[in-house]
Structure formats: structure tokens, C-alpha cells
Amino acid sequence: MQVLKFGGSSVANSANIQKVTDIVASAIQKEPTVLVVSALGGITDLLLKTGALASQADETYKTVLKEMETRHLDAVRELLPIQQQSATLSLVKQQFNELDGIYDGVFLLGELSPRTKDRIVSYGELLSSMMISAKFQSLNIDQLWVDSRKCITTNSNHGNAAVDFAATEKNIQSHFAQKPHQLYVVPGFIASDVNNNTTTLGRGGSDYTAAIFASAVRASALEIWTDVSGMMTADPRLVQNAKPISRISYQEAMELSHFGAKIIYPPTIQPVMSRNIPVWVKNTFAPNEYGTLIENNSAVTDSFIRGISSISSISLLSLEGSGMIGIPGFSKRLFEALANESVNVILITQSSSEHSICVGINEVDSAKAKQTIDNVFSYEIQTGKVEPLKVESGLSIVALVGEQMKSHPGVSGKMFGALGKNGINVRAIAQGSSEKNISAVLSAFDVKKAINVLHEEFFETSYK
Amino acid sequence: MQVLKFGGSSVANSANIQKVTDIVASAIQKEPTVLVVSALGGITDLLLKTGALASQADETYKTVLKEMETRHLDAVRELLPIQQQSATLSLVKQQFNELDGIYDGVFLLGELSPRTKDRIVSYGELLSSMMISAKFQSLNIDQLWVDSRKCITTNSNHGNAAVDFAATEKNIQSHFAQKPHQLYVVPGFIASDVNNNTTTLGRGGSDYTAAIFASAVRASALEIWTDVSGMMTADPRLVQNAKPISRISYQEAMELSHFGAKIIYPPTIQPVMSRNIPVWVKNTFAPNEYGTLIENNSAVTDSFIRGISSISSISLLSLEGSGMIGIPGFSKRLFEALANESVNVILITQSSSEHSICVGINEVDSAKAKQTIDNVFSYEIQTGKVEPLKVESGLSIVALVGEQMKSHPGVSGKMFGALGKNGINVRAIAQGSSEKNISAVLSAFDVKKAINVLHEEFFETSYK
Amino acid sequence: MQVLKFGGSSVANSANIQKVTDIVASAIQKEPTVLVVSALGGITDLLLKTGALASQADETYKTVLKEMETRHLDAVRELLPIQQQSATLSLVKQQFNELDGIYDGVFLLGELSPRTKDRIVSYGELLSSMMISAKFQSLNIDQLWVDSRKCITTNSNHGNAAVDFAATEKNIQSHFAQKPHQLYVVPGFIASDVNNNTTTLGRGGSDYTAAIFASAVRASALEIWTDVSGMMTADPRLVQNAKPISRISYQEAMELSHFGAKIIYPPTIQPVMSRNIPVWVKNTFAPNEYGTLIENNSAVTDSFIRGISSISSISLLSLEGSGMIGIPGFSKRLFEALANESVNVILITQSSSEHSICVGINEVDSAKAKQTIDNVFSYEIQTGKVEPLKVESGLSIVALVGEQMKSHPGVSGKMFGALGKNGINVRAIAQGSSEKNISAVLSAFDVKKAINVLHEEFFETSYK
Amino acid sequence: MQVLKFGGSSVANSANIQKVTDIVASAIQKEPTVLVVSALGGITDLLLKTGALASQADETYKTVLKEMETRHLDAVRELLPIQQQSATLSLVKQQFNELDGIYDGVFLLGELSPRTKDRIVSYGELLSSMMISAKFQSLNIDQLWVDSRKCITTNSNHGNAAVDFAATEKNIQSHFAQKPHQLYVVPGFIASDVNNNTTTLGRGGSDYTAAIFASAVRASALEIWTDVSGMMTADPRLVQNAKPISRISYQEAMELSHFGAKIIYPPTIQPVMSRNIPVWVKNTFAPNEYGTLIENNSAVTDSFIRGISSISSISLLSLEGSGMIGIPGFSKRLFEALANESVNVILITQSSSEHSICVGINEVDSAKAKQTIDNVFSYEIQTGKVEPLKVESGLSIVALVGEQMKSHPGVSGKMFGALGKNGINVRAIAQGSSEKNISAVLSAFDVKKAINVLHEEFFETSYK
């Protein structure tokens, strides 16, 4: 058994779905396949937008809903032979009737609750999976549409529900224990709680669905089909020469995931990694390209740097003061204050002098971080032991990633040498003992230059 | 008014005290002077050892006490003209009689309380200051012995008492408001609480006494006389070519203070820095050498790296796990656990991937740190979200220090380039946004080589 | 200005509303009047029941809704002269159309959120107040319907919203600053948050509305019209000879409020008591009876016991153990445990031996109280210092209330003497230093007898 | 085996010790006996006073020490036949030599640490037990002096050390496993920690020693010999007709222990009660009187009230306010505040109205209780939800004690009836569900009258 997952751009329209059909038709020659699909590209956002309109008593929601219906009906007409369209057309219409009722309810109540939002958004994957299921049916492929809401059990935290893995694995296995099929078509992203209310899996949800099924059926491989040919050595929007990465470890993939592109969201593939199931990232629109193979343990390759990641809109907080020397507890109070305000800590660095600690956070959190920390240390600030928190914004983090760095002294020298030679000022540095990642904080103005300099240094020269 | 402080090696014997006398005699030509002295070199340890012997009912304490008495009486005889000895000899004998009574009490009770320990140890500075006062008396210098216990008021935390600055400043100022003298001789290290029990000021206590007096009398300068010609660019025991630093900022001095030599303990000089009083570090045994001038604000010099510091016996803790991504609160729990166990955090680094945090602590704390952190995260460890804490020991931190680094891009490149070229593996890196310090964690085996490589790179070539 | 409030039974149907009309018509002869009304008796429960049916996709909700509409339309037809009915009939129908839409929304979404529940339930008071407003209009009385949602501003805690008193007082005062009217008709119970979403005021909400208006307009009096002739000396369902209380202090009224009848819920009248506005409890169906006057300070009367209150379904928790003696902190841990589990403490008694503490709580909370307390004291229980918590259920509290008790020694003797003579065993006793209340814990079997014995002793004999 | 313990007044001088000798000589006819003795009456206080003098450099400590020595030597001479005195006289002198050394140490250091205080005070019991051991030796009784410091192991909390029961029981049992003797003479009150430093057992320490030995040797009985003929129905200094109590349960004895006389401190006898060993309280000076038998379970007797206890110098705190109704957490915050300030709570009463809680504490704690509680509730006080804490002082608690009260309805009626008839105003009442104790808070002026009234009612009339 293998699991293939196709994202929204891969199923954006009938032309694309045709490509998916070809890939899957070829895949099932090898072994039985679970096919997980996202909603048609753009549909999820439209469903939510329509809900927002309805809750604000804006009747144009009906127009948007009509357009969505038309788009799905057109796709059905393009995908299926004319004599096989009617059942699917009527199935699609039925879904839109249901949706229509829900939107009317939202309109009448002027309220869009998290529970209703999950119900609404689930139609995107329901529709796409039903249509694709019908497509394979029309090709006489032995396929079964599987309702993932009956398989994946979660808690009731609508919008970002937590999976009950024990129950879910049991559900899936009992589902697949019945008469086997060549192909199972599964809507991604959606699940249900113990009261049978529809829930959704949050960010990266369809990948998560795919990984959960792959883990439960002990799949031979999980393939994530997207619109790029795998993970890249750097953000291709910033670096013209960015190249695909052929093999990468799970750890490295996690380190690289901060990329703008965000091809995969690492926590979603955890279920397969813990079972050592290989993950491929492939391109629907260039299926012959190698793509990226994510393995649990990094194979030794000739290139020991895997890629360059970057995060923008960073603020650096600096807490300094001679009063901090040798007194345990400052760090705890600092991070407790940030945690209480739900400020996510992206980078920390405290060098050996012990009287200055530096924390990188998202720029949007900087005002509340400043306020809460100055408040927590108000006594020390008044008595001159600690200075008011310094906040610098307009920064970015650029990180070099690679598990084999560890055995290659000199990476940091080469990295900071290249930046220095190009006059790029580094505001803070952090490298942990796992040595999979060296992060440098820079002015946002220097990011593009820095990434290109580093890419040239590590990927475009013959340095080894 | 100026304040001069002489440490234990400067007053170890009559020959050295003679050098001190010359320096001070010359200094008072310039302006009235406060002279703060430590106990004769080695005496503090002997006083404590004698107390320990007495409390363990070991009668040899009497022998050690006798030896100490002889050493002080001999010094008096060497220092003073024969016809002026008797008063001072009898004063010294009286102090030893008092000490004798205290040691007898300790012997009888078999108990050495913190309060009694402070009483005992105070005799070291009392004796040295009385002898030096007598010396200046014999030279017909207009001098006054000042009992610092009457000047510095602390709480009753024996062994490491906290100064009540408001009361202390008032005491000192009313003392100095009386008939002025050319020279005031003050015992360092000792103070008293509001019940007139003797207390001591902890680590670096005599420097602290000097800084407190300098601040209270608004001194023109504070001179710390020691046995080296100022702060050095690196630990001279490790780097043969280490050179004295002529000018350094207070901030830089704090960053450099981790040196083995520990010439000054920065918190002790805080009282003068907040009043912008310059601090000189000078060599009693080479008084003509320039020494080091510590100023509040770093003057721009041609060398923008001030020195290289190192700390040995470091353990690196690494907490890793995919469960850490995007969840606020992990850092808080980690540092709370360390604070609860009073583990001092020396270096922190969390690079941008957010799923690994790395903390440098003293090796001696690593076992309890491991235990408490594994305990705090036991739920996450069991559920596989976090891995058990990794602890690596046998490490050292090497840090490059200099406030002007900030305006010189390329320092980090040069630093890590030099380490890399020499095959030195860097286990972790931290540089905060103040850019006064770049710290690298290395194997203890590489420290000597690393410091020499860096010293050569930054201090022995014409690099600017 | 005076404020009159009529509860649900007073406006249950057109016959009753006619009585209300008479009372109010007479009241406005005296001074301008604010009339606060509840929903028609039983309507609030029906509105909620209908919502529950709709959310469970039970289409019978439509029938119930229709019945409610008919009841209101019938009442309009009975209340108003036929030629003046049409406007009000159409107003009522319009409200039901809106309600219909909301219920449809609930039905479509299968969800009844707290926000929607508040919207639904608000129609009860909106309808009753509109109908009564029309009634007075038809009588040519100069009246104005006031939307209390525009007057009372709350937070968004739907179902039990907290009033923003500053904003509310301002709203009401600016409302009443306009052209004055003889009568203002105000729907009770409902309010709105800053986003103009409808909220409700929780238990006793219409009384609360009346008190809020009375306080804001500095009313001369607040009259609470209900279906009994004031507060009684004991629960009339238990004591045949229970008599009305003519005058009572606010403090006493609070003490007595635990009655089954719960004529008023004391926190709701706090706004008027803090302005010293007298509160009358009167009977719509016997308007000439004196009723009860609640004043801020208890007037001295010849009877110094005001009444007898009782609370049923009580459990007594007893924590005992020799390990409790003389150790501060046990009480704190006990009450912290109860507070963490949101267990409401009704009675506490710890007698002077310090090794036993006894707490009365609602029976429904006893299981979780037992569990949490045994857990909190598990160490002490294991080591034998404290015994596992004893829980006795099937108990009731009977309390004697009266502020002038204090000056009459012997009340407790008389009380317990009467109970003793009648063989009623008292399980626990509590009387605080305010001496407004003596509480006895009894078996539930003895409650009726105990209350009658005490009523006879204190109210039916000539004892003074 | 049986355990007899004699207090300080029983061994105050040689005449009294002679009485002890007679009682013990008779006891050992029955079975082997452990004899636990206190210091000679008054000696413990003198030892401490002498220590205080020495630590304050007051040389009169030598005089007091001399007087104590003389008193002990005189007692030896009176107790022993002249030809057998010398060994004991020299033993006593040796103890005083040791004490002399310790006092000299205290004098020299000017410091009396808790550890040294324990060492000093231990000589009281060491001396008395050695002298009494010698007395029995001179009578040719087969006796052994047992060093209780070698038997009872505690932690190092000097002045009030906590017993390690497991280690202690093992020590004692191994001690008694050797060759048996008729009589073992044991110094009470003293013990040692694991470093063999002498510790003491705190309040009631000699009773505690006796109970620990009795429990460890599974004694048939523990006899506490004192200077009164057992526990009394009321404090004989207040009630002329107070009578001895012949039998009482352990629970009742705990309830009664608040008496001025404080014959026993209940926690000290816990070790025997948990083994069901009966405890007798007997009078050394009237050995034929019955005394009091304390049993684990109360035997049914004809009198169901055991006694009347009283506690003076009580303050009542009252926290009131309408804001307290129905909100969990008020009690917790109140008792947390008291616990943080180490205020011992003696009586609590919260009657059923839930908006007033009343706490009885020692008068000395009332100022800090007021301050901390007003502080904790400052927000509620400012917003008028709670009134500032009321504190009433000059109060006492009078309590009726008896386990069989429970089966006799009417006790409370009789109690409060008697107080009422006599015009005694009761400020607060508490009776817990164990029904072993009814406590009433009264003005201190009324206490004597109240106790006499109650004593007459329950003990001097034929009421049953």
C-alpha cells in the first residue's frame, strides 16, 4: 500500500485533475494506493469568505456560492464522459444544497461559530474527493471513496483538532480490513469528534491526513504531490540558482521548513517518520523530475549543507544589566513573561558574559513583549540592575541547515566570512549543539543579498 | 580624593608592604587618599582553616594560630623602626588574644557558625590595616585608621552580606566631614549589620570596599593594585603573547571577567561606574607600567577587539523534539526548572528551527539539571514529543569581546574562519544583538589551541 | 421617579396584565414611573425549549413557536380595544417572524450558541413590554417604550453578563434627560455588549434591571411586584402559620434569601441599597396588603427574630486528625482544593480543639469534594496525621435570622432548647460574630419539624 | 513492660524523688519498667537563663551555674547513703565541668546557637536521670541507665526536632533485646540527629519520650505522673467544684487540652494511642487517688459531658460583604492569607448566608491578620464588595467536650439556655459534625461566670 496526496493547485481544475489521474493510474500498477486530495485550489478560502459574508448579513454570499457551484459543475462536465455525468452532477448539487442551508443558517443568526466554520470548510475536500472518485469510477478502476470523518477521530477543538491516534488507527485498520480495492479516494483535512461533529486538522491538514493513513496502513511510501519539484536549497523567489534537494533527513526538513514556500509543515509528517516510511515531495506538473526524498536518517551525500532557510519580520529583544550576573531565575522570569503573553520564541542567544540575553520573536509580538517584560522586571529596572528591554525590528533570520555540518569544521567560518566580505552586518548568531543549523540575524535589507552570497558559497562553488 | 586598593599579594610581607608604602607616599602628593587593604596574602585562608580545626576539636589550631601571630609580629618588626614598634606589637598581640578567645569558644562548642566565621576572618584585614597605618604613622604622614565596620552597613547575611547603600554613604560622608587628613587607612572586606555584628562582603570584597568608599567620597579615581600589569588580551597562562589592554570599557571588562585570572569581579566596581569614576588596574610590582584604564564608555581605539575570554568545565544541555514547534511555554518551563534547582545559565542558544534549545551550564550542575528537566518534561518525553535531555560535558566556552565589533562586519567570519582552518570544531555559537561578545563552545581539548589561533588572528597580525 | 417591576406570574396573561395596568395607573398619579416587566409567565422556558428542539433537528419546534405566537396574539386581542389592535398585532407578528428566522438558522446549523440563546430569550421581555406599552398607549397615558438593550451595557459573557455600571448609568441618564414622560415601559433581563449583541443578566435578571434603573434615576422607591404578599417568617409550604414580615433590613433579607421561594435574589437589589432607596415587595394579586419593606438599616421593632430560612440537600464534610493541631495552612489547603473545584462553601465550623474542621456544601458537589480533598491531603492521610474526609449527606440547614439578636442573650438557648426538647439532633452549629444568623445542620427528615418548632417558639408565642 | 514518666515537679528535690522511688519500687513488683524522667523542677529554665547570660557577656552566669551544681550535689547527698555518694557526686561534677566549658564557649563567642542551646538544656535530664539511676542502684534494684540520645533519632531541627520513627523503633528494640533488667532509667526530652548532635523534642518532650518508648516496647500501659490527680472537669483555678475525670477517650482528651493546666499535650501521646496502649494520668503526691485513664475508645459512662475547656486572649475576625455570595474562592484566599502569616486558626464559623465568615485567632496575631487580609481583599474592599475586616478582641472561647453528646439531643439547648438565663452574651458558636465539642465565644469578662454556670449545669446537678 502507498499513499499519494495531491494539494490544492494539483486539483485546481479539470486539466490539472487529469494530470493527477494519469499519475495515480500509473501508481496503482505498482500497488494498492490511498489517494488523499485537498479541495480544488482556492475553494477553501472562498468557502470561508462566503461564510463571513453571510454572517455579516451581506447577501452577495449567494453569488459567490453560485460561482463555486458552477466551477464544480463545470469541472465535472469536463472530467467525465457525458453519459456518466448525471449522477455526479446531482451529487455535487446535493452538496451545494446542504451548503446553501448552512449559509442560510449563518445569515439568519449573523454568527459563524468555529463548529459551523469546520462544517462549511469540509465541503471543499468532500466535493473534490467525490469528483475524483467519480473520475476513477468512469475509468473502471476498482476504487472506493472513503469518508475520512469516519476514520480520523479528534477532540472537539474546532479549527485545529487534536487526533486521537489510538482510536484513529483502529478505525482505519478496520476500514481497510474489508474487501480490498485498488484505489481509495480520501478527502484530506477533515475529521470528526466523538459526537460526530465535523472537525478540521489545522495547518497542513491534508498532508496530515495522508501521513495518518500511511502510518495506519504501514504504507511503503508517502508521496506529497505539489507544484514544485521538491524542496529547494533556497527560496527560489530570492535565489535564482536555487536547486532541488534530492535527499534530505526529516530533521533537516524540519529545520528548512521556515521557508516562504512552506512546501510541507513538518509536524504533519511525524506519523510516518516514526514508522520509518519514506516521504517523497513530487511535482504534479513535472512528474518525471526526481523531487525530494525525506528519510528518517540522513544519508551521507557529497553536499553537507542541505539548504538555506529564512524568516522575515523578526524583532530582537535584548535584556541587559549587571544585576543579571550569577543570579539564577532571570531566564525563567523572562520566558515565563513571554509564555504568559503567548509570544513564540524563534531564536535565543545568551553569550557567556551572563548579563545579556537576546530573544528573536515575530515583529507583531514585539509591542506586547516589551510591555510585559518591562513590567516583570520593573523593580530591577527602577533599581538600575537591568535596563529597559531593547527592541530592534526590521530584521530577518537566515539559517544554514545540514546534519553533516557537525563533521565539517569551518562551516561557520565560511558562512560568516562570506557575509563579512560582502559587508553584511550580523546582529546575532545562534548555533546549537545539534549542529544542524546556524542562524544569523540580519537587517531585512540584507536578506536577499545574504542568501545569495551564502547560496553561491555553499551550492554554486565546488567547495566540499 | 582618590582611592587606592591593594590586594593580598601586594601586602603579603614587609618587603611588599614597603612597595605599597612607596606608591602611596607618592600618591598623597597629588591629593588626599583613601587606602584600602586586604589581609596579608594567605592569612584569610589560614584564619578559616584554624577555625575549622578548632570546631573539629583538633588542638593543632593553636599551632597555626601561633604561626600567624609570629608572621604578623615579624612583619611589624621589619616594617617599623625599633623605637616605634612596641605600641603596634602590643596592638597585634591584643588582636591575637581576642582571636584566641574566639577559637577557644569554637573549640568548646565544636561549632563554627557563619556569624563567628565572619568575626574570625575580619581579623585578617584589621591586622593588615593597623600595621600599615602604623607604618605611615612612623613616616610622620598625617593619616587616620578608619574602621570600615563603622562605615559600611549591611544586612545580616553572614559571609555575603548585602550593603545598605543609603546608610553606608551617609556613614562615610559624616566620617570624612571631620578634620581632613592626607591619608585614610581602611580594612577591606569587612562591614557590620545593624546589631553591630561583623559581616563580610563576599567574593571580591576588598575591591567592593574600595569602590563603595570611592563612590561615597566622589573620588577622582579608583586604583586597584594587584600583581599583574592590568587586564590582558587573553589568559597569559594559555597565550604566551597575551598583551595588556590599555583602555577598556566597563561593559567589556564585564564580558572579559570570566578569565581564569579574575583580576576584578565586575559587580564590585559597579558603585564607581555609576558615578563615572575611572578605574585603573595597576601592578604593585611594576608601578610604572601603564596598566588598564576601565572607563564607563569605550573610547574608540584602533583595535576593536578587546580580548578573549574563556570558561572551562562547561556542559551543554540540548532539549529537542518536534513537539516543541510553535508552542509557547517550553522555554519558560525549561528555565523555571533550572532556576528552581539554582542552576546558573551561562550560555543559551536556540536557532531558528524552534525545536531545539541548547543551554551551557557549569559541569557540576549537569546531573541535577538532567534530572529536573527530564522530570519536568516527562509527559512530553513519554509521548515522544520531546527527547530526553542530551548532556555533553568536557566543553569550554571561548569568547571574543569588544564593543566596537558592531561596526566591523566580518569579525564572526574571521573568528570562525580561523577556527575552521585549524580544524577546531565549534559545538555551539551565541552572539547577542549587543555585539560585544561572540561565544563559541568547544571541546576542552581544543581550548588552548583555539585561544592561541584567535589571539594570533586578532592581536598579533595587522588586521584592522 | 419610582420604579415598579412585575414578574412573570404578574404578566402571565391578559387578566393579570389588567391588574398590573390598574396598579401602574394608580402609581403614576403619584410620580413619573419606570415599569420593568418580565416575559409572560412560562414564555422564557418555552423559548429555550424551542431552541433546543430546533438545534436537535426536531421540527416540532415550529408547533411550539406557533403556540407561543398564538398566546401573544390572543393576549393582545384581549388587552386592547379592537380598533387599536392592528398595529400591535403586526408588531408581535414581526417579532415572531424574526424569531422564526433565528430558529430556522439554529435548525439549519444544528447548533445553539450562547449568543444565539441570548438573542432568542430576549424576545420574551421584548414582546411583553411592547404589549404592555401598547396597553398604556390605548389608555392615552403619556408613555414611552425604552429599549433596555440601549441602556444597559455589559461584557460579552452571554447568559450571565456583567454590567458596566459607569457606561450604563450614563446611558440611562442621557435617556431620561430628554422630554419627560409619565411612564416608561422597559423590558427586564436583557442588555447588550459593546458590539450591540444582545446579552442577558442571569438569575434574577428583571429585578436587576429594575434596581439598575432605580439607582441610575435616583428613584424614590423600588417596588418588586410578585405573587406573594412579601417575605415570610418561614417557608409557607413548610409552616402553615408563616406570616408576612412587614419591615426587614437588607442584611436580614440577604440572610433569609435561601428560602425555597426565593422571592428576591439579594445581589440584584444591591444597586439600590447602596443609594439607600427603599425596596417594597408587594403582591400583584392583593395590592392592598402591606407587603415587605426592605430598608438599608434595620428599624427596631418588637420582634427581634425576622425569620427562619432553610437550605436542603446539604452534605457535611469533616476533616479530622491529630496532625492538624497547631499547624497553620490546613484551612488554606482545604479551601483552596474546594475553590479549585468550584465547590461553593455554605457553612463552616471549626471548634476550638483545632483538629477537626467541618464544611457544609451542596450535596451535588460532595463526590468531587471528597476526591479532591483526599487527594490534596493524601500524604497526611497515608502517614496517619489526617483521616480520610468524612462525608455525610441527606442534611439540611435551618437558620434563625435577625439583626437585633445581638442585644438579646438567650436566643441560642431558646433555639437549641426547643430543638432538644423535641428530640431533634443538631449535627453542627455555626453562629458568627455579626449575630444576625444562627445556623443548625439537621437531618433532612427533621427539617419540617424543626422549622415548625422554631416558628412556634419565636413567632407564635408571646416571647419577647 | 510498662512505662512510667515523672515530670519536673515530681523530681524537684530529694524529698519528691523519694516519693518517685517508692512508686517505682512498687511498680517493678508487677513487671519490668521503663522510667522516664524530666529535669529537676526549674532546672531547664535555669540552664537556658545561664546560656542567655553567658551569650550577653554577663559573668553572673558563673554564679547561677554554681547554684545549680550545689542543688544537684545536695540532692545526691540527701538521696544516697553516705558511703555510696562519691561515685555519683563525681559524675555530677563531671557533667558540670562539661557544662562549664560550653558556657565558656558561649561567653567567648557571644552567641547561643540553637544547636548549643540543645546541648546545654540536655544536661537537665541527663543529671536527673543519672541521680535517680544511682538511687535505684543503691537500693540494689537491677537497673540500667539508658541514653535516650542513642535511642531516639531525629532530624536536625534543633529545639523541636522531628522523630524518625522507623530508625527509633529499631534502636529501642535492639537495646531492649539484650539481657533484661527490672528497671530502665531514661532521660526524657533529648535525642540526637544522624551526626550525633544532641537534639530536643519540643513542647511536652518528656511525655513524648515516654510514649515513644512505650510504643516501641509494646508496653502494657503508660503512666504520666504529675502533680494533679488527673484531668479535671474544668480548670480548678476557675471552678471550685471541678472534679477529676476518671475515664476519658483520647479524642476527648485532645479536645480538653486547651486548659490552662495543660496536663498533657495530646500530640505527645499519639504513639501509644495508635497501638491502643492505655494512658494513666496520676498524682505523685497522692498516688492512691484514681487519676484519669485515657483510652482510645470512649467507654460509655453515666456522664456524657467530660469537661469544660477554655482558651483566653482570643480575637474574632469577621469578613463580610454581599460580594462574597456564591463566589467560590473567598475562603481559600482568607485562609491562604492567614497561613502565609503563620496565623493559627482556632475557631471558624460561617453560617448559611454565605456572606460573612468569622475566624477566632490568638489576640497577639490580630494586628498582622487585619493587615494581611485587608491587603488581600483590597480590590474587593475598594469596590465595596467586601467590608474592611472587623476585629474584636478581649474574647475567650468556652467549650463543652464529650464524645457521647451526639446521642443526647438537647445539650446545646441546655448549654445556651444556661448561658442565656445568666445574661451571658454569646458572640459566636461553632459545633462540628463530630459532636465532641460545642464552642462558644464570649467576652473575657464573662468566662469565669460562664464556666461555673456550665459546670453547675452539667456536673453539679443530677441532670443526665
Side-chain angles (χ1 to χ4, degrees), chain C residues 161-455:
Chain C
V163 173
D164 175 343
F165 279 99
T168 296
E169 184 142 307
K170 225 169 104 187
N171 295 339
I172 295 176
Q173 287 171 350
S174 74
H175 232 87
F176 282 79
Q178 293 153 17
K179 174 180 168 300
H181 297 271
Q182 263 187 293
L183 178 64
Y184 300 84
V185 183
V186 177
F189 188 50
I190 63 176
S192 70
D193 66 12
V194 288
N195 303 316
N196 289 319
N197 290 318
T198 299
T199 56
T200 58
L201 297 176
R203 183 179 167 198
S206 287
D207 290 350
Y208 204 19
T209 301
I212 289 165
F213 273 85
S215 168
V217 304
R218 312 292 192 260
S220 59
L222 166 61
E223 297 179 10
I224 305 285
W225 290 80
T226 172
D227 52 5
V228 292
S229 295
M231 301 186 77
M232 306 287 280
T233 50
D235 187 339
R237 294 166 306 182
L238 296 177
V239 178
Q240 227 179 345
N241 296 325
K243 308 178 222 171
I245 301 169
S246 53
R247 298 176 69 180
I248 191 168
S249 76
Y250 177 52
Q251 295 294 329
E252 290 168 332
M254 284 179 69
E255 302 278 340
L256 269 183
S257 70
H258 275 297
F259 254 66
K262 289 186 205 302
I263 293 164
I264 55 161
Y265 179 57
T268 61
I269 58 169
Q270 234 193 325
V272 293
M273 297 324 289
S274 63
R275 294 208 185 279
N276 265 315
I277 298 170
V279 178
W280 286 91
V281 179
K282 300 275 285 178
N283 188 343
T284 304
F285 308 103
N288 295 324
E289 290 192 3
Y290 187 81
T292 300
L293 171 59
I294 309 175
E295 297 165 297
N296 212 6
N297 297 303
S298 176
V300 177
T301 62
D302 54 352
S303 151
F304 61 89
I305 299 295
R306 278 295 170 265
I308 302 166
S309 177
S310 61
I311 318 174
S312 55
S313 300
I314 293 293
S315 288
L316 266 188
L317 316 177
S318 303
L319 189 68
E320 298 194 18
S322 57
M324 290 169 69
I325 294 189
I327 303 174
F330 267 86
S331 311
K332 176 234 157 180
R333 287 165 61 197
L334 171 63
F335 291 107
E336 184 171 45
L338 293 173
N340 287 345
E341 293 294 315
S342 296
V343 172
N344 209 358
V345 169
I346 297 169
L347 173 145
I348 308 170
T349 182
Q350 178 198 301
S351 51
S352 57
S353 62
E354 297 178 44
H355 72 289
S356 161
I357 186 165
C358 179
V359 177
I361 62 171
N362 287 319
E363 239 171 58
V364 293
D365 292 332
S366 60
K368 71 178 171 182
K370 163 86 176 152
Q371 189 178 19
T372 189
I373 292 173
D374 281 352
N375 190 30
V376 161
F377 290 100
S378 57
Y379 174 74
E380 283 83 3
I381 290 171
Q382 274 168 36
T383 54
K385 290 185 171 178
V386 165
E387 293 166 35
L389 188 76
K390 272 191 231 157
V391 179
E392 286 174 277
S393 295
L395 302 176
S396 289
I397 297 174
V398 170
L400 225 56
V401 170
E403 277 195 84
Q404 293 165 64
M405 246 185 233
K406 182 175 320 210
S407 43
H408 288 73
V411 174
S412 47
K414 200 148 192 85
M415 174 179 181
F416 295 109
L419 294 173
K421 258 178 288 173
N422 286 278
I424 295 165
N425 201 1
V426 174
R427 306 303 329 278
I429 302 174
Q431 178 211 308
S433 61
S434 65
E435 291 179 60
K436 289 187 288 250
N437 175 316
I438 309 179
S439 297
V441 182
L442 317 164
S443 165
F445 294 114
D446 290 333
V447 169
K448 189 169 180 180
K449 184 174 173 193
I451 297 185
N452 277 283
V453 160
L454 294 175
H455 199 266

Side-chain angles (χ1 to χ4, degrees), chain B residues 355-369:
Chain B
H355 73 289
S356 161
I357 186 165
C358 178
V359 176
I361 61 171
N362 287 319
E363 238 171 58
V364 292
D365 291 334
S366 60
K368 71 178 171 181

Side-chain angles (χ1 to χ4, degrees), chain A residues 15-27 135-136 139:
Chain A
N16 293 2
I17 294 176
Q18 189 55 55
K19 293 186 207 296
V20 172
T21 312
D22 296 342
I23 293 165
V24 174
S26 152
K135 172 71 183 174
F136 286 107
L139 299 173

